[in-house]
C-alpha cells in the first residue's frame, strides 16, 4: 500500500472513530435525558402531592374558623372562612388535576382514583359546616364531627398516594444515577478503544 493511501486510511479511521464515539455519546445522552425527564416529572408530581396535603389541612382549618365565628357570633369570620374555603378547594382540585397529568404508572393512578371522590365528599362536608355556621350554629357540631371523619378517611387515601409517588421518585432517581454512571463508563471505554486502535494504526504506518 502506498504512503498516500496509508495516510488516507489512517485519516478515515480517525473520522470513523470520532463518529463512533460521538454516536455512542449522543445515544447515551438521549437515553439519559429521557431518564432525567422522568425524574423531573415525578419531582413535580411530588410537589403537587405535597401542595394537596397542605390544602387537606387548610380546608379543615377553614371549617373550624367558621365554627369559631358562629360560637363567638362573629359573621366576619364566617365570611372569611367561606372565602378561604372556596380558594383552598379550588387549589386542592387543581393540584390533583396537575398530578393526574404527570402520573404515568398504574399504581399511582389507582391511588389517585381512590383519592378524588373522597376529596369531593370532604369539600362538600366542609361547605356544609361553613353554611351551617351561618344558618344553624346550634347544629354545627354534628357537621364538624362528620368533617373530621371525612378528613381522616381522606388522610389515609392521600398517604397511600404520597407513598406511591415517593416510591416512584426514589426508583427513578436511582435509575438516573445508574444511567449517568453507565454513560460515563461507555464513553470512556469507547474513547480508550478508539484511541488504542488509532495509536496502533499510527505505529503500523510509521
Amino acid at each position: 500500500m502506498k504512503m498516500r493511501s496509508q495516510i488516507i486510511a489512517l485519516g478515515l479511521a480517525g473520522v470513523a472513530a470520532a463518529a463512533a464515539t460521538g454516536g455512542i455519546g449522543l445515544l447515551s445522552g438521549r437515553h439519559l435525558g429521557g431518564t432525567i425527564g422522568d425524574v423531573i416529572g415525578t419531582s413535580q408530581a411530588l410537589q403537587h402531592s405535597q401542595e394537596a396535603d397542605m390544602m387537606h389541612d387548610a380546608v379543615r382549618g377553614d371549617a373550624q374558623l367558621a365554627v369559631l365565628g358562629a360560637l363567638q357570633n362573629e359573621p366576619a369570620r364566617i365570611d372569611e372562612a367561606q372565602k378561604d374555603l372556596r380558594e383552598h378547594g379550588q387549589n386542592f382540585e387543581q393540584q390533583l388535576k396537575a398530578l393526574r397529568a404527570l402520573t404515568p404508572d398504574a399504581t399511582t393512578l389507582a391511588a389517585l382514583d381512590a383519592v378524588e371522590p373522597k376529596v369531593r365528599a370532604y369539600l362538600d362536608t366542609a361547605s356544609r359546616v361553613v353554611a351551617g355556621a351561618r344558618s344553624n350554629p346550634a347544629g354545627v357540631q354534628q357537621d364538624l364531627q362528620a368533617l373530621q371523619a371525612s378528613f381522616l378517611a381522606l388522610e389515609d387515601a392521600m398517604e397511600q398516594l404520597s407513598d406511591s409517588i415517593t416510591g416512584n421518585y426514589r426508583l427513578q432517581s436511582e435509575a438516573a444515577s445508574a444511567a449517568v454512571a453507565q454513560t460515563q463508563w461507555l464513553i470512556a471505554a469507547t474513547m480508550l478503544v478508539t484511541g488504542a486502535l488509532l495509536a496502533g494504526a499510527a505505529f503500523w504506518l510509521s
Side-chain angles (χ1 to χ4, degrees), residues 85-111:
L85 176 60
R86 187 182 305 110
E87 293 176 355
H88 293 150
Q90 290 175 350
N91 192 3
F92 206 161
E93 293 175 341
Q94 288 172 358
Q95 298 305 322
L96 295 179
K97 184 178 180 180
L99 184 56
R100 180 173 289 278
L102 292 169
T103 304
D105 66 291
T107 302
T108 304
L109 283 175

PDB file of all heavy atoms in Angstrom, residues 85-111:
ATOM      1  N   LEU A  85     -62.231  28.877  52.066  1.00  0.00           N
ATOM      2  CA  LEU A  85     -62.614  27.526  51.687  1.00  0.00           C
ATOM      3  C   LEU A  85     -62.765  27.415  50.164  1.00  0.00           C
ATOM      4  O   LEU A  85     -62.356  26.410  49.562  1.00  0.00           O
ATOM      5  CB  LEU A  85     -63.923  27.126  52.378  1.00  0.00           C
ATOM      6  CG  LEU A  85     -64.493  25.756  51.992  1.00  0.00           C
ATOM      7  CD1 LEU A  85     -63.511  24.647  52.333  1.00  0.00           C
ATOM      8  CD2 LEU A  85     -65.835  25.518  52.690  1.00  0.00           C
ATOM      9  N   ARG A  86     -63.348  28.428  49.562  1.00  0.00           N
ATOM     10  CA  ARG A  86     -63.509  28.414  48.114  1.00  0.00           C
ATOM     11  C   ARG A  86     -62.140  28.367  47.418  1.00  0.00           C
ATOM     12  O   ARG A  86     -61.929  27.583  46.496  1.00  0.00           O
ATOM     13  CB  ARG A  86     -64.285  29.653  47.666  1.00  0.00           C
ATOM     14  CG  ARG A  86     -64.645  29.648  46.180  1.00  0.00           C
ATOM     15  CD  ARG A  86     -65.375  30.918  45.777  1.00  0.00           C
ATOM     16  NE  ARG A  86     -66.555  31.154  46.607  1.00  0.00           N
ATOM     17  CZ  ARG A  86     -66.659  32.124  47.507  1.00  0.00           C
ATOM     18  NH1 ARG A  86     -65.643  32.972  47.681  1.00  0.00           N
ATOM     19  NH2 ARG A  86     -67.750  32.282  48.205  1.00  0.00           N
ATOM     20  N   GLU A  87     -61.221  29.193  47.892  1.00  0.00           N
ATOM     21  CA  GLU A  87     -59.887  29.236  47.290  1.00  0.00           C
ATOM     22  C   GLU A  87     -59.120  27.935  47.521  1.00  0.00           C
ATOM     23  O   GLU A  87     -58.495  27.395  46.605  1.00  0.00           O
ATOM     24  CB  GLU A  87     -59.100  30.418  47.863  1.00  0.00           C
ATOM     25  CG  GLU A  87     -59.668  31.779  47.471  1.00  0.00           C
ATOM     26  CD  GLU A  87     -58.923  32.922  48.130  1.00  0.00           C
ATOM     27  OE1 GLU A  87     -58.018  32.638  48.960  1.00  0.00           O
ATOM     28  OE2 GLU A  87     -59.232  34.086  47.822  1.00  0.00           O
ATOM     29  N   HIS A  88     -59.166  27.442  48.743  1.00  0.00           N
ATOM     30  CA  HIS A  88     -58.437  26.215  49.066  1.00  0.00           C
ATOM     31  C   HIS A  88     -59.028  25.004  48.337  1.00  0.00           C
ATOM     32  O   HIS A  88     -58.291  24.117  47.900  1.00  0.00           O
ATOM     33  CB  HIS A  88     -58.445  25.984  50.577  1.00  0.00           C
ATOM     34  CG  HIS A  88     -57.657  26.999  51.335  1.00  0.00           C
ATOM     35  ND1 HIS A  88     -57.959  27.374  52.624  1.00  0.00           N
ATOM     36  CD2 HIS A  88     -56.574  27.751  50.972  1.00  0.00           C
ATOM     37  CE1 HIS A  88     -57.094  28.280  53.038  1.00  0.00           C
ATOM     38  NE2 HIS A  88     -56.256  28.537  52.053  1.00  0.00           N
ATOM     39  N   GLY A  89     -60.349  24.970  48.213  1.00  0.00           N
ATOM     40  CA  GLY A  89     -60.978  23.866  47.490  1.00  0.00           C
ATOM     41  C   GLY A  89     -60.592  23.859  46.026  1.00  0.00           C
ATOM     42  O   GLY A  89     -60.298  22.799  45.451  1.00  0.00           O
ATOM     43  N   GLN A  90     -60.572  25.033  45.407  1.00  0.00           N
ATOM     44  CA  GLN A  90     -60.164  25.124  44.001  1.00  0.00           C
ATOM     45  C   GLN A  90     -58.706  24.719  43.827  1.00  0.00           C
ATOM     46  O   GLN A  90     -58.358  23.990  42.886  1.00  0.00           O
ATOM     47  CB  GLN A  90     -60.395  26.544  43.483  1.00  0.00           C
ATOM     48  CG  GLN A  90     -61.859  26.922  43.327  1.00  0.00           C
ATOM     49  CD  GLN A  90     -62.042  28.377  42.935  1.00  0.00           C
ATOM     50  OE1 GLN A  90     -61.096  29.160  42.945  1.00  0.00           O
ATOM     51  NE2 GLN A  90     -63.278  28.755  42.599  1.00  0.00           N
ATOM     52  N   ASN A  91     -57.862  25.169  44.747  1.00  0.00           N
ATOM     53  CA  ASN A  91     -56.451  24.809  44.685  1.00  0.00           C
ATOM     54  C   ASN A  91     -56.266  23.305  44.864  1.00  0.00           C
ATOM     55  O   ASN A  91     -55.456  22.675  44.174  1.00  0.00           O
ATOM     56  CB  ASN A  91     -55.681  25.566  45.766  1.00  0.00           C
ATOM     57  CG  ASN A  91     -54.174  25.468  45.587  1.00  0.00           C
ATOM     58  OD1 ASN A  91     -53.678  24.888  44.625  1.00  0.00           O
ATOM     59  ND2 ASN A  91     -53.443  26.041  46.518  1.00  0.00           N
ATOM     60  N   PHE A  92     -57.016  22.728  45.781  1.00  0.00           N
ATOM     61  CA  PHE A  92     -56.968  21.292  46.026  1.00  0.00           C
ATOM     62  C   PHE A  92     -57.254  20.521  44.737  1.00  0.00           C
ATOM     63  O   PHE A  92     -56.484  19.634  44.325  1.00  0.00           O
ATOM     64  CB  PHE A  92     -58.012  20.944  47.086  1.00  0.00           C
ATOM     65  CG  PHE A  92     -57.707  19.699  47.878  1.00  0.00           C
ATOM     66  CD1 PHE A  92     -58.312  19.463  49.104  1.00  0.00           C
ATOM     67  CD2 PHE A  92     -56.837  18.729  47.392  1.00  0.00           C
ATOM     68  CE1 PHE A  92     -58.048  18.323  49.839  1.00  0.00           C
ATOM     69  CE2 PHE A  92     -56.557  17.584  48.118  1.00  0.00           C
ATOM     70  CZ  PHE A  92     -57.170  17.384  49.344  1.00  0.00           C
ATOM     71  N   GLU A  93     -58.329  20.878  44.070  1.00  0.00           N
ATOM     72  CA  GLU A  93     -58.720  20.178  42.848  1.00  0.00           C
ATOM     73  C   GLU A  93     -57.716  20.415  41.725  1.00  0.00           C
ATOM     74  O   GLU A  93     -57.443  19.515  40.926  1.00  0.00           O
ATOM     75  CB  GLU A  93     -60.113  20.615  42.433  1.00  0.00           C
ATOM     76  CG  GLU A  93     -61.202  20.157  43.414  1.00  0.00           C
ATOM     77  CD  GLU A  93     -62.573  20.698  43.065  1.00  0.00           C
ATOM     78  OE1 GLU A  93     -62.641  21.697  42.311  1.00  0.00           O
ATOM     79  OE2 GLU A  93     -63.576  20.120  43.529  1.00  0.00           O
ATOM     80  N   GLN A  94     -57.150  21.608  41.651  1.00  0.00           N
ATOM     81  CA  GLN A  94     -56.147  21.905  40.630  1.00  0.00           C
ATOM     82  C   GLN A  94     -54.884  21.079  40.827  1.00  0.00           C
ATOM     83  O   GLN A  94     -54.284  20.590  39.850  1.00  0.00           O
ATOM     84  CB  GLN A  94     -55.804  23.397  40.646  1.00  0.00           C
ATOM     85  CG  GLN A  94     -56.906  24.290  40.098  1.00  0.00           C
ATOM     86  CD  GLN A  94     -56.612  25.761  40.319  1.00  0.00           C
ATOM     87  OE1 GLN A  94     -55.593  26.122  40.921  1.00  0.00           O
ATOM     88  NE2 GLN A  94     -57.502  26.628  39.855  1.00  0.00           N
ATOM     89  N   GLN A  95     -54.483  20.897  42.079  1.00  0.00           N
ATOM     90  CA  GLN A  95     -53.290  20.094  42.355  1.00  0.00           C
ATOM     91  C   GLN A  95     -53.509  18.636  41.946  1.00  0.00           C
ATOM     92  O   GLN A  95     -52.616  17.998  41.372  1.00  0.00           O
ATOM     93  CB  GLN A  95     -52.918  20.171  43.842  1.00  0.00           C
ATOM     94  CG  GLN A  95     -52.565  21.560  44.337  1.00  0.00           C
ATOM     95  CD  GLN A  95     -51.470  22.225  43.550  1.00  0.00           C
ATOM     96  OE1 GLN A  95     -50.513  21.572  43.125  1.00  0.00           O
ATOM     97  NE2 GLN A  95     -51.595  23.528  43.337  1.00  0.00           N
ATOM     98  N   LEU A  96     -54.686  18.115  42.201  1.00  0.00           N
ATOM     99  CA  LEU A  96     -54.985  16.733  41.809  1.00  0.00           C
ATOM    100  C   LEU A  96     -55.047  16.594  40.293  1.00  0.00           C
ATOM    101  O   LEU A  96     -54.596  15.591  39.731  1.00  0.00           O
ATOM    102  CB  LEU A  96     -56.304  16.285  42.438  1.00  0.00           C
ATOM    103  CG  LEU A  96     -56.322  16.179  43.967  1.00  0.00           C
ATOM    104  CD1 LEU A  96     -57.690  15.742  44.447  1.00  0.00           C
ATOM    105  CD2 LEU A  96     -55.243  15.224  44.469  1.00  0.00           C
ATOM    106  N   LYS A  97     -55.582  17.594  39.624  1.00  0.00           N
ATOM    107  CA  LYS A  97     -55.642  17.570  38.159  1.00  0.00           C
ATOM    108  C   LYS A  97     -54.235  17.588  37.566  1.00  0.00           C
ATOM    109  O   LYS A  97     -53.923  16.819  36.641  1.00  0.00           O
ATOM    110  CB  LYS A  97     -56.447  18.765  37.655  1.00  0.00           C
ATOM    111  CG  LYS A  97     -56.641  18.782  36.146  1.00  0.00           C
ATOM    112  CD  LYS A  97     -57.497  19.972  35.723  1.00  0.00           C
ATOM    113  CE  LYS A  97     -57.683  19.995  34.202  1.00  0.00           C
ATOM    114  NZ  LYS A  97     -58.512  21.155  33.779  1.00  0.00           N
ATOM    115  N   ALA A  98     -53.375  18.462  38.083  1.00  0.00           N
ATOM    116  CA  ALA A  98     -51.987  18.517  37.617  1.00  0.00           C
ATOM    117  C   ALA A  98     -51.259  17.220  37.925  1.00  0.00           C
ATOM    118  O   ALA A  98     -50.452  16.734  37.121  1.00  0.00           O
ATOM    119  CB  ALA A  98     -51.267  19.694  38.269  1.00  0.00           C
ATOM    120  N   LEU A  99     -51.559  16.636  39.069  1.00  0.00           N
ATOM    121  CA  LEU A  99     -50.942  15.379  39.461  1.00  0.00           C
ATOM    122  C   LEU A  99     -51.325  14.254  38.504  1.00  0.00           C
ATOM    123  O   LEU A  99     -50.487  13.439  38.107  1.00  0.00           O
ATOM    124  CB  LEU A  99     -51.364  15.035  40.890  1.00  0.00           C
ATOM    125  CG  LEU A  99     -50.739  13.797  41.531  1.00  0.00           C
ATOM    126  CD1 LEU A  99     -49.230  13.894  41.517  1.00  0.00           C
ATOM    127  CD2 LEU A  99     -51.245  13.640  42.952  1.00  0.00           C
ATOM    128  N   ARG A 100     -52.570  14.217  38.096  1.00  0.00           N
ATOM    129  CA  ARG A 100     -53.016  13.184  37.161  1.00  0.00           C
ATOM    130  C   ARG A 100     -52.288  13.309  35.822  1.00  0.00           C
ATOM    131  O   ARG A 100     -51.935  12.304  35.195  1.00  0.00           O
ATOM    132  CB  ARG A 100     -54.533  13.262  36.953  1.00  0.00           C
ATOM    133  CG  ARG A 100     -55.090  12.240  35.996  1.00  0.00           C
ATOM    134  CD  ARG A 100     -56.600  12.253  35.967  1.00  0.00           C
ATOM    135  NE  ARG A 100     -57.176  11.710  37.198  1.00  0.00           N
ATOM    136  CZ  ARG A 100     -57.323  10.414  37.422  1.00  0.00           C
ATOM    137  NH1 ARG A 100     -56.943   9.519  36.526  1.00  0.00           N
ATOM    138  NH2 ARG A 100     -57.862  10.016  38.560  1.00  0.00           N
ATOM    139  N   ALA A 101     -52.049  14.536  35.374  1.00  0.00           N
ATOM    140  CA  ALA A 101     -51.365  14.745  34.099  1.00  0.00           C
ATOM    141  C   ALA A 101     -49.908  14.281  34.149  1.00  0.00           C
ATOM    142  O   ALA A 101     -49.318  13.976  33.108  1.00  0.00           O
ATOM    143  CB  ALA A 101     -51.423  16.217  33.711  1.00  0.00           C
ATOM    144  N   LEU A 102     -49.325  14.218  35.352  1.00  0.00           N
ATOM    145  CA  LEU A 102     -47.921  13.844  35.495  1.00  0.00           C
ATOM    146  C   LEU A 102     -47.734  12.404  35.949  1.00  0.00           C
ATOM    147  O   LEU A 102     -46.599  11.976  36.169  1.00  0.00           O
ATOM    148  CB  LEU A 102     -47.250  14.768  36.524  1.00  0.00           C
ATOM    149  CG  LEU A 102     -47.081  16.227  36.115  1.00  0.00           C
ATOM    150  CD1 LEU A 102     -46.656  17.067  37.313  1.00  0.00           C
ATOM    151  CD2 LEU A 102     -46.041  16.353  35.008  1.00  0.00           C
ATOM    152  N   THR A 103     -48.822  11.652  36.066  1.00  0.00           N
ATOM    153  CA  THR A 103     -48.745  10.304  36.642  1.00  0.00           C
ATOM    154  C   THR A 103     -48.948   9.238  35.573  1.00  0.00           C
ATOM    155  O   THR A 103     -50.069   9.024  35.112  1.00  0.00           O
ATOM    156  CB  THR A 103     -49.806  10.127  37.744  1.00  0.00           C
ATOM    157  OG1 THR A 103     -49.623  11.146  38.727  1.00  0.00           O
ATOM    158  CG2 THR A 103     -49.687   8.773  38.408  1.00  0.00           C
ATOM    159  N   PRO A 104     -47.858   8.557  35.157  1.00  0.00           N
ATOM    160  CA  PRO A 104     -47.999   7.544  34.118  1.00  0.00           C
ATOM    161  C   PRO A 104     -48.233   6.124  34.626  1.00  0.00           C
ATOM    162  O   PRO A 104     -48.736   5.269  33.890  1.00  0.00           O
ATOM    163  CB  PRO A 104     -46.653   7.618  33.398  1.00  0.00           C
ATOM    164  CG  PRO A 104     -45.694   7.996  34.492  1.00  0.00           C
ATOM    165  CD  PRO A 104     -46.458   8.836  35.478  1.00  0.00           C
ATOM    166  N   ASP A 105     -47.864   5.841  35.883  1.00  0.00           N
ATOM    167  CA  ASP A 105     -47.910   4.446  36.334  1.00  0.00           C
ATOM    168  C   ASP A 105     -49.274   4.090  36.904  1.00  0.00           C
ATOM    169  O   ASP A 105     -49.974   4.932  37.473  1.00  0.00           O
ATOM    170  CB  ASP A 105     -46.818   4.184  37.382  1.00  0.00           C
ATOM    171  CG  ASP A 105     -47.062   4.957  38.655  1.00  0.00           C
ATOM    172  OD1 ASP A 105     -46.930   6.186  38.621  1.00  0.00           O
ATOM    173  OD2 ASP A 105     -47.425   4.332  39.663  1.00  0.00           O
ATOM    174  N   ALA A 106     -49.635   2.835  36.737  1.00  0.00           N
ATOM    175  CA  ALA A 106     -50.979   2.375  37.091  1.00  0.00           C
ATOM    176  C   ALA A 106     -51.225   2.421  38.594  1.00  0.00           C
ATOM    177  O   ALA A 106     -52.351   2.713  39.034  1.00  0.00           O
ATOM    178  CB  ALA A 106     -51.184   0.949  36.566  1.00  0.00           C
ATOM    179  N   THR A 107     -50.205   2.137  39.405  1.00  0.00           N
ATOM    180  CA  THR A 107     -50.389   2.108  40.856  1.00  0.00           C
ATOM    181  C   THR A 107     -50.760   3.483  41.396  1.00  0.00           C
ATOM    182  O   THR A 107     -51.695   3.635  42.192  1.00  0.00           O
ATOM    183  CB  THR A 107     -49.106   1.607  41.540  1.00  0.00           C
ATOM    184  OG1 THR A 107     -48.778   0.311  41.040  1.00  0.00           O
ATOM    185  CG2 THR A 107     -49.300   1.532  43.043  1.00  0.00           C
ATOM    186  N   THR A 108     -50.042   4.501  40.941  1.00  0.00           N
ATOM    187  CA  THR A 108     -50.327   5.862  41.404  1.00  0.00           C
ATOM    188  C   THR A 108     -51.673   6.348  40.876  1.00  0.00           C
ATOM    189  O   THR A 108     -52.415   7.041  41.583  1.00  0.00           O
ATOM    190  CB  THR A 108     -49.210   6.818  40.970  1.00  0.00           C
ATOM    191  OG1 THR A 108     -47.954   6.318  41.451  1.00  0.00           O
ATOM    192  CG2 THR A 108     -49.429   8.214  41.544  1.00  0.00           C
ATOM    193  N   LEU A 109     -52.004   5.982  39.642  1.00  0.00           N
ATOM    194  CA  LEU A 109     -53.300   6.366  39.086  1.00  0.00           C
ATOM    195  C   LEU A 109     -54.441   5.731  39.888  1.00  0.00           C
ATOM    196  O   LEU A 109     -55.470   6.369  40.120  1.00  0.00           O
ATOM    197  CB  LEU A 109     -53.396   5.952  37.617  1.00  0.00           C
ATOM    198  CG  LEU A 109     -52.634   6.837  36.620  1.00  0.00           C
ATOM    199  CD1 LEU A 109     -52.708   6.243  35.224  1.00  0.00           C
ATOM    200  CD2 LEU A 109     -53.186   8.254  36.623  1.00  0.00           C
ATOM    201  N   ALA A 110     -54.251   4.488  40.297  1.00  0.00           N
ATOM    202  CA  ALA A 110     -55.276   3.831  41.108  1.00  0.00           C
ATOM    203  C   ALA A 110     -55.433   4.530  42.461  1.00  0.00           C
ATOM    204  O   ALA A 110     -56.550   4.717  42.952  1.00  0.00           O
ATOM    205  CB  ALA A 110     -54.908   2.360  41.312  1.00  0.00           C
ATOM    206  N   ALA A 111     -54.300   4.932  43.047  1.00  0.00           N
ATOM    207  CA  ALA A 111     -54.360   5.666  44.316  1.00  0.00           C
ATOM    208  C   ALA A 111     -55.045   7.018  44.130  1.00  0.00           C
ATOM    209  O   ALA A 111     -55.822   7.460  44.975  1.00  0.00           O
ATOM    210  CB  ALA A 111     -52.945   5.856  44.873  1.00  0.00           C
TER     211      ALA A 111
END
